[in-house]
Amino acid sequence: MISTAPGSEFFFEDQCKMLTLSLSPACVCSRYGLMGRLKRILLWVLGVYITIPFLVKLCPSIQAKLVFLNFVRLPYFIDLKRPQDHGLNHTYNFYLQPETGVNIGVWHTVPDQMWKEAQGKDREWYDSTFKSPYPVMLYLHGNAGTRGGDHRVQLYKVLSLLGYHVVTFDYRGWGDSDGSPSESGMTSDALFLYQWMKERVGSKPLNVWGHSLGTGVATNLVRRLCDRGTPPNSLVLESPFTNIREEAKSHPFSMVYRYLPGFEWFFLDTISANDIRFASDENVDHISCPLLILHAEDDSVVPFHLGKKLYNIASQSKSLSGHKLQFIPFPVSLAYKHKFIYRSPELCAHIHCGKKCFTVDNLCNDLRPTEQK
């Protein structure tokens, strides 16, 4: 029954208008138009998803760029000629030429104990410091960024505080170095710089530290050195993987394609087609020097299980028999992830400095050269 109370006619009239509007062609068309747009967006996303594997397969250089990420120069707008802008006021920037027409940018950070003396000094003075009794570390960084990346700079500072000379550089195609990236080029650059350093340090300890993709370069380098009978004093691998195929398969970027039929053919075989292998699992069978592996359990970029697998392979290596081999896991509770192992207060003990000599907030500044091994 329709109410005849005062004002009810207006309520009834409003309800009729609303019902009329809801059934109007314009409203119906609007609803169908929205659904149409959603369908078009979904089809576009699906098209991109399907197109990318074929694009990568047809243009293998795209996959190489994704492996190296040398075009990502985080942090942006930094002057690599001025390491002092990063708090490295005892670091000298210079350039070397591993090949004709290829210049690579290099940083040499002297031990913290020498920082006062280092102020205002030129390259000749920095080169002469290699004759000091302090040990030397060649640092090989991972993909993306430059030698000026923040987590890399923080590690240089820690190693310097522990009494190390730290020499690092940007591979060809990275930072302000010339050329284009390749596995062979990265390895050649590392070998050139190692030999350059060896000529200057003589019989003093010369060690190699690789991080992430740099661990692949490091094992390539150390394998060559060991094959020549001139191994380094030690090799440190931070967040390593077994080989680039297994790393690419485990990388979070591959998650959306990992279960796609033909994933290996589209993506992993394309990496191999670029002559990119970084086969650390093979290299450890040719390495004959102390080996230390550091890996955080919450590393999402290079999963922890790959570092552990590499250690298990290395433990079976005949060439490493008789040499110290150690695997140091860092629990999830520490939140070191992929880049922050340098924060560990146990790092000094792990790299065989002889004692637990510092914490993050209270770094020991009284290390003597004779305490270094």
Side-chain angles (χ1 to χ4, degrees):
M1 182 171 71
I2 301 175
S3 171
T4 57
S8 62
E9 64 273 14
F10 296 108
F11 174 77
F12 179 74
E13 199 173 304
D14 289 344
Q15 293 295 313
C16 288
K17 287 180 180 179
M18 290 176 64
L19 180 63
T20 303
L21 284 172
S22 66
L23 296 175
S24 66
C27 184
V28 172
C29 289
S30 176
R31 290 181 180 178
Y32 277 105
L34 177 61
M35 291 180 64
R37 284 196 294 273
L38 288 173
K39 285 182 180 179
R40 285 194 294 273
I41 291 171
L42 288 173
L43 287 173
W44 183 83
V45 171
L46 181 62
V48 171
Y49 178 82
I50 294 173
T51 300
I52 286 176
F54 289 97
L55 189 62
V56 168
K57 192 67 179 179
L58 291 171
C59 304
S61 61
I62 295 175
Q63 185 71 307
K65 291 182 181 297
L66 293 176
V67 170
F68 298 129
L69 290 177
N70 61 303
F71 57 90
V72 179
R73 289 199 54 179
L74 293 173
Y76 294 108
F77 312 118
I78 66 169
D79 186 353
L80 293 170
K81 295 181 175 66
R82 292 181 54 82
Q84 60 268 32
D85 292 346
H86 306 274
L88 295 172
N89 58 358
H90 53 316
T91 298
Y92 192 78
N93 176 77
F94 60 100
Y95 298 87
L96 294 174
Q97 193 172 64
E99 293 179 12
T100 303
V102 177
N103 290 291
I104 58 173
V106 186
W107 282 358
H108 174 193
T109 301
V110 296
D112 186 70
Q113 294 83 346
M114 306 175 71
W115 79 267
K116 286 185 179 179
E117 191 181 354
Q119 303 311 300
K121 296 298 195 298
D122 58 14
R123 179 177 166 184
E124 184 178 355
W125 180 87
Y126 272 84
D127 282 357
S128 71
T129 63
F130 282 123
K131 297 176 182 178
S132 70
Y134 296 98
V136 185
M137 185 74 75
L138 170 61
Y139 178 81
L140 304 170
H141 70 66
N143 67 355
T146 67
R147 62 190 183 276
D150 183 65
H151 64 285
R152 295 162 186 164
V153 169
Q154 298 308 317
L155 181 64
Y156 311 155
K157 292 177 180 178
V158 169
L159 292 174
S160 173
L161 282 162
L162 293 178
Y164 282 85
H165 291 269
V166 183
V167 178
T168 188
F169 69 102
D170 279 317
Y171 316 103
R172 62 186 69 191
W174 270 264
D176 56 356
S177 297
D178 300 328
S180 300
S182 66
E183 180 178 357
S184 60
M186 295 167 75
T187 304
S188 294
D189 292 343
L191 181 60
F192 170 83
L193 193 58
Y194 181 91
Q195 292 172 331
W196 180 89
M197 293 165 63
K198 190 64 179 175
E199 291 174 0
R200 286 154 180 78
V201 304
S203 60
K204 288 196 305 298
L206 178 52
N207 311 276
V208 177
W209 184 306
H211 172 245
S212 192
L213 190 67
T215 63
V217 181
T219 62
N220 283 349
L221 166 65
V222 176
R223 174 178 177 171
R224 290 194 185 188
L225 296 173
C226 292
D227 286 345
R228 297 177 180 182
T230 58
N233 287 79
S234 69
L235 170 62
V236 181
L237 301 179
E238 178 190 357
S239 308
F241 51 87
T242 49
N243 58 69
I244 198 63
R245 287 179 70 96
E246 290 194 351
E247 159 57 10
K249 192 172 184 178
S250 302
H251 197 281
F253 287 170
S254 71
M255 190 177 298
V256 293
Y257 287 107
R258 198 172 298 160
Y259 304 105
L260 178 75
F263 169 77
E264 292 198 8
W265 184 77
F266 277 115
F267 294 99
L268 305 188
D269 290 351
T270 306
I271 294 176
S272 301
N274 283 284
D275 198 25
I276 303 173
R277 298 179 68 242
F278 293 112
S280 293
D281 51 353
E282 295 178 13
N283 291 338
V284 292
D285 282 331
H286 300 264
I287 290 175
S288 53
C289 69
L291 172 60
L292 172 65
I293 298 176
L294 311 171
H295 215 131
E297 292 179 354
D298 58 344
D299 189 334
S300 60
V301 177
V302 180
F304 177 79
H305 71 86
L306 290 183
K308 184 66 173 177
K309 183 177 180 180
L310 181 63
Y311 168 74
N312 291 334
I313 294 171
S315 65
Q316 303 299 316
S317 169
K318 293 181 179 179
S319 64
L320 280 167
S321 178
H323 296 282
K324 187 167 185 178
L325 171 63
Q326 194 172 9
F327 179 83
I328 305 296
F330 296 89
V332 174
S333 59
L334 296 173
Y336 290 160
K337 300 184 182 296
H338 185 62
K339 298 180 178 179
F340 306 114
I341 286 177
Y342 71 82
R343 295 176 178 172
S344 171
E346 309 294 327
L347 194 59
C348 177
H350 295 328
I351 61 175
H352 315 300
C353 288
K355 63 177 182 178
K356 296 180 182 179
C357 54
F358 73 95
T359 65
V360 173
D361 298 320
N362 183 26
L363 290 164
C364 172
N365 291 312
D366 63 354
L367 275 177
R368 294 182 298 276
T370 54
E371 292 178 323
Q372 307 298 326
K373 294 184 179 180

